[in-house]
Amino acid sequence: MKIKSLAIVLFVLAINSVSAQSTMDKWPAIKTFHEVMSQTFHPSEEGNLQPIKTRSEELMNKAVDVLKSDIPADYKTPAILASAEKLQLKAKALHKMVVAKASDADIKKALSDLHDVFHDIVGLCSEKK
């Protein structure tokens, strides 16, 4: 039974990975944002906040680029556009926290929230298929 459950989980993860990949192929700005997000978020999971502290402005600018980019027509839905706006606002707030030298706990929470918004966008794009 455990093997069957594991197989189901792996299948769902593979489907999500393929959906995310095709989203990023169609929307280069979200792919570029993801590159910086992954290079700053994953170290934070291990307690290393130096990458986000040194790259928060870059991440903020990449979030701005997502909203200003040529968004594929099938992704230009009210929900995706609202989430892209939320991404930009949360990235800006995170950068302000870093500049203001907020606590590591607050920065980590804000980065995690931003990461969740990114995944919301990818999920919404996957629903459009």
Side-chain angles (χ1 to χ4, degrees):
M1 190 62 160
K2 287 182 182 180
I3 292 175
K4 186 175 181 180
S5 296
L6 179 60
I8 291 170
V9 168
L10 291 175
F11 177 75
V12 169
L13 288 174
I15 295 279
N16 284 340
S17 177
V18 168
S19 295
Q21 186 60 42
S22 64
T23 297
M24 291 187 207
D25 289 340
K26 290 180 182 179
W27 193 359
I30 202 77
K31 180 178 183 176
T32 303
F33 177 86
H34 176 254
E35 290 169 359
V36 179
M37 172 56 80
S38 67
Q39 294 167 1
T40 57
F41 177 74
H42 295 298
S44 78
E45 292 178 300
E46 298 170 8
N48 180 5
L49 295 178
Q50 197 56 43
I52 190 57
K53 288 180 179 180
T54 58
R55 299 182 73 187
S56 65
E57 184 175 14
E58 179 184 5
L59 190 62
M60 176 185 69
N61 291 334
K62 298 302 179 192
V64 169
D65 292 346
V66 165
L67 198 54
K68 288 183 175 179
S69 69
D70 185 19
I71 300 170
D74 42 331
Y75 298 158
K76 277 190 177 180
T77 66
I80 292 172
L81 293 173
S83 292
E85 258 185 64
K86 187 175 180 181
L87 187 83
Q88 181 180 336
L89 293 171
K90 286 193 171 281
K92 184 176 183 178
L94 172 60
H95 176 61
K96 285 183 176 182
M97 291 174 73
V98 169
V99 169
K101 300 193 184 308
S103 73
D104 285 357
D106 288 343
I107 291 171
K108 187 173 181 178
K109 170 84 170 87
L111 181 58
S112 181
D113 290 347
L114 183 63
H115 183 259
D116 290 346
V117 174
F118 165 76
H119 278 284
D120 289 345
I121 293 170
V122 172
L124 288 166
C125 290
S126 297
E127 289 174 9
K128 298 308 298 170
K129 294 200 124 224

